[in-house]
Amino acid sequence: MPGAPVLLVVDDDPRARGVVEGELLKRYGADYQVICVGPADDPPGLLAKLRDGQRRISIVLAGESESQPNGTELLARVREFDRTAMRLLLIHWEFGPPPEPILQAIALGHIDAYAGRPATVPDEEFHLTVTELLEKWSRSNLPRPEVMRVVGEEWSVRAHEIRDLLSRNVVPFGFYSEGSQPGRALLEHAGATTATLPVVIMFDGRVLENPSNTQIANAIGVRTSPGACLYDVAVIGAGPAGLAAAVYGASEGLSTVILEPVAIGGQAGMSSDIRNYLGFPTGVSGEDLAVRAYTQAWNFGAEYVYGNPATGLRTQGQERVVTVADGDEVRSRAVVIATGVSYRRLGIPSLEGLTGVGVFYGAATSEAKSMQDREVFVVGGANSAGQAAIHLARYAARVTMLVRSHSLAESMSEYLIREITNTPNIAVRHNAVVTGGSGTCSLESLTIQDQMSGVTQTVPAAALFVLIGAEPRTQWLPDDIKRDRWGFVVTGTDLMAGGHPPASWPLQRPPMFLESSLPGAFAVGDVRSGSVKRVASAVGEGSVAIRLIHDYLRGDRH
Ligand SMILES: Cc1cc2nc3c(=O)[nH]c(=O)nc-3n(C[C@H](O)[C@H](O)[C@H](O)COP(=O)(O)OP(=O)(O)OC[C@H]3O[C@@H](n4cnc5c(N)ncnc54)[C@H](O)[C@@H]3O)c2cc1C
């Protein structure tokens, strides 16, 4: 199909190329143009030609074998020519784990997935990988039905906020600049030429003039106020922990309400590629995971209340009452606190765009192996940064710690400082702050400033691990919910001192695992003191809390 988005196959094995071409033409020939070439046909030149001809490439499929080891190298360059093309490495099917270079290529964001060349015809496993990549690509590259059309000034803060809100909550929408011809036509057609921008035009013609988040949510039928009934469980926060609690609570017959002020998925929703979550061998976008979990909770009957954050929690007899921002109250028999943390971010725009492709927040363990022989940097001077540096040094050529203060002793345990000092490939740069960075497909360089001299320096860098702390979102909780010195909610046996619960604890029994110092209020995920800051552990705790709530509600735990 000339003019259609391109599926480009590069393989030196003509027979394999023919099979791949046949399979792609059969399934996708009506909507995509399939182009097949060998490595001798100058694939980079072809990519440049397609770019110059303004052709969109949806997937580049490059073959790799012992005799043709440069498929990964080609895929690593694809984004130089097309920033949105997906990259699929084709290998000869074999049993066992994929070779190290493939793992490294995935970790560095040089390929999106790998698959065996079609071994049978049809090969549904091969097609599953291709269609998953096409689906990911199509989300931002093909027209989608628009539930909402937003017309506003391109650089208006509120227009940006609305776009961010809709995309984080996966609402299909289109944005039209008020100065553009389609933007003007939309305003005219809606009779809104004098309306205050931004204007949101709904699929059924309703017009919202400079709407609040609550008005937008209401317009698409999302509730923003809780019901007046007594729920079994109120879940506060729709990150992975809260969504898991909602799925398990609702699926096990508990009337469940979940409150979320910003967007489903929490921090995980901001991750473009979660690679260590069970069951997703090529990774899953946080957005995808969040939508799946939200739909699952919804299907089981959980109620979702958007845009109304919890502002307080109190006990009223056997009930737990959560107050929300608009003054309403949620009455429930038990509460799951899943409000997570905000990771402190560097806030440097050029590095924000490289998150997940060289810039990592708190994720040193899973990425370390792929840093083999590379130049990596760690920002932070506390224990978490020290541990990350030591772990990374086992793989990387050199690890440079960038520490704002003039000494590690102020913030790091002595044993870690000793280990860092004794590790030859760790260097510590004090008084150093990152001020910028760049890279085409992934991080390539960092700009570092010496705070004493003011001198800046740009250095090559393959990865930057940022460990500058996280702040729990617990300011809204009452004093009778005990927190550690960083503000995380203390639970279970950690509440016991000398075999006794805190003085405010009103029951004979000790607090259960995950239960806070307020009976019936459980804390799960990142907000909990001592928790592992990971999606899987947050999901695990969210589901375990429901098991404990069954015990609590049965009455034998009052
Ligand atoms: C960029 C990035 C990438 C990551 N990548 C990975 C990864 O690859 N693998 C991995 O395992 N982990 C990863 N993590 C960590 C992982 O996302 C977290 O461990 C996980 O999201 C914690 O889930 P949670 O539900 O406990 O908290 P959160 O995800 O923080 O969710 C808390 C939710 O509560 C809501 N909330 C806050 N205050 C209130 C209130 N007052 N009322 C109601 N709701 C409220 C928030 O809006 C938020 O939606 C990543 C984190 C980040 C930031």
Side-chain angles (χ1 to χ4, degrees):
M1 255 202 82
V6 171
L7 295 174
L8 174 63
V9 183
V10 182
D11 205 320
D12 74 341
D13 176 346
R15 202 196 63 80
R17 205 161 66 218
V19 176
V20 174
E21 181 174 27
E23 286 297 289
L24 294 179
L25 277 172
K26 256 193 317 186
R27 291 282 169 104
Y28 315 103
D31 299 314
Y32 297 88
Q33 182 178 3
V34 179
I35 301 176
C36 286
V37 296
D41 298 317
D42 184 20
L46 178 57
L47 286 166
K49 241 191 237 160
L50 289 166
R51 176 196 58 202
D52 297 342
Q54 304 203 322
R55 297 294 306 278
R56 288 171 304 164
I57 303 172
S58 39
I59 310 181
V60 178
L61 303 91
E64 179 143 293
S65 58
E66 265 173 36
S67 60
Q68 182 207 353
N70 50 5
T72 330
E73 279 167 36
L74 171 69
L75 292 178
R77 291 196 56 197
V78 164
R79 296 260 165 101
E80 288 172 29
F81 303 96
D82 187 315
R83 295 187 71 83
T84 64
M86 305 302 290
R87 300 145 307 168
L88 174 60
L89 187 70
L90 297 176
I91 56 173
H92 284 302
W93 192 92
E94 58 189 51
F95 190 73
E100 192 58 34
I102 296 182
L103 299 179
Q104 231 181 61
I106 292 179
L108 289 169
H110 290 167
I111 68 174
D112 296 295
Y114 65 91
R117 292 175 174 91
T120 57
V121 175
D123 184 330
E124 296 302 343
E125 217 170 303
F126 166 77
H127 283 298
L128 184 63
T129 311
V130 173
T131 49
E132 274 176 1
L133 293 180
L134 282 179
E135 198 273 328
K136 278 187 193 169
W137 179 83
S138 70
R139 275 193 217 168
S140 41
N141 291 284
L142 289 184
R144 311 180 82 190
E146 291 172 355
V147 171
M148 290 185 177
R149 293 190 164 122
V150 184
V151 186
E153 290 156 325
E154 200 131 4
W155 303 113
S156 124
V157 172
R158 185 59 193 148
H160 163 75
E161 283 170 358
I162 292 179
R163 287 196 301 252
D164 188 49
L165 170 84
L166 295 177
S167 57
R168 285 193 63 193
N169 283 288
V170 205
V171 178
F173 75 99
F175 177 75
Y176 300 84
S177 161
E178 45 93 40
S180 69
Q181 197 281 323
R184 279 195 302 271
L186 278 170
L187 289 177
E188 249 166 57
H189 188 251
T193 45
T194 56
T196 309
L197 295 175
V199 163
V200 174
I201 302 164
M202 302 293 299
F203 61 96
D204 56 5
R206 277 174 296 157
V207 176
L208 311 177
E209 185 175 334
N210 189 20
S212 65
N213 290 1
T214 309
Q215 286 170 314
I216 294 174
N218 283 330
I220 49 169
V222 174
R223 284 179 63 166
T224 53
S225 300
C229 59
L230 175 66
Y231 294 95
D232 290 327
V233 193
V235 180
I236 320 299
L243 286 168
V247 167
Y248 280 84
S251 70
E252 293 175 15
L254 301 176
S255 61
T256 304
V257 62
I258 179 163
L259 307 182
E260 172 55 51
V262 187
I264 50 168
Q267 298 164 66
M270 295 190 296
S271 174
S272 58
D273 195 10
I274 298 168
R275 286 200 295 266
N276 55 359
Y277 189 59
L278 189 75
F280 294 90
T282 59
V284 57
S285 77
E287 177 190 296
D288 198 10
L289 191 65
V291 172
R292 284 165 186 253
Y294 166 76
T295 312
Q296 209 172 358
W298 181 265
N299 288 347
F300 282 122
E303 283 179 31
Y304 182 71
V305 175
Y306 171 78
N308 223 343
T311 52
L313 170 62
R314 67 172 197 278
T315 300
Q316 198 167 280
Q318 292 300 318
E319 293 179 16
R320 303 288 168 263
V321 181
V322 179
T323 46
V324 291
D326 73 356
D328 257 337
E329 292 187 339
V330 184
R331 292 168 50 230
S332 64
R333 298 167 69 205
V335 169
V336 176
I337 300 160
T339 46
V341 300
S342 343
Y343 264 94
R344 287 198 202 103
R345 298 183 73 97
L346 288 172
I348 299 169
S350 56
L351 292 174
E352 287 296 304
L354 294 168
T355 302
V357 284
V359 178
F360 303 99
Y361 283 88
T365 321
S366 53
E367 302 298 333
K369 266 184 99 175
S370 58
M371 294 301 134
Q372 197 81 41
D373 304 328
R374 288 167 195 273
E375 194 75 32
V376 308
F377 290 78
V378 174
V379 183
N383 280 1
S384 56
Q387 282 165 5
I390 290 164
H391 188 60
L392 286 163
R394 294 186 193 127
Y395 307 95
R398 188 166 45 174
V399 179
T400 305
M401 294 190 70
L402 302 173
V403 184
R404 192 183 274 268
S405 66
H406 66 278
S407 154
L408 283 176
E410 291 169 12
S411 50
M412 195 180 287
S413 303
E414 179 58 32
Y415 78 96
L416 283 171
I417 298 176
R418 241 193 336 261
E419 202 170 337
I420 285 169
T421 314
N422 289 329
T423 308
N425 63 337
I426 300 182
V428 182
R429 279 181 70 166
H430 291 288
N431 308 306
V433 289
V434 176
T435 56
S438 66
T440 316
C441 305
S442 59
L443 183 71
E444 286 165 17
S445 72
L446 280 178
T447 307
I448 299 162
Q449 184 179 49
D450 183 309
Q451 284 186 302
M452 300 302 275
S453 64
V455 173
T456 60
Q457 186 192 11
T458 298
V459 292
L464 175 71
F465 292 85
V466 185
L467 295 116
I468 52 177
E471 285 160 3
R473 297 196 193 95
T474 52
Q475 299 78 358
W476 62 280
L477 288 170
D479 289 344
D480 48 356
I481 294 202
K482 197 168 175 255
R483 272 149 281 170
D484 66 16
R485 64 188 163 118
W486 296 280
F488 293 89
V489 178
V490 181
T491 55
T493 50
D494 290 349
L495 286 163
M496 307 293 280
H500 301 287
S504 62
W505 182 253
L507 306 178
Q508 290 298 314
R509 66 163 175 88
M512 287 187 262
F513 174 56
L514 303 179
E515 194 172 26
S516 73
S517 51
L518 179 70
F522 296 77
V524 295
D526 281 14
V527 77
R528 195 176 70 80
S529 175
S531 67
V532 178
K533 310 292 185 260
R534 287 286 176 272
V535 175
S537 49
V539 167
E541 290 187 6
S543 55
V544 169
I546 295 300
R547 178 74 205 84
L548 302 171
I549 284 172
H550 279 298
D551 289 351
Y552 174 78
L553 293 180
R554 258 204 320 267
D556 51 341
R557 296 292 192 144
H558 280 301

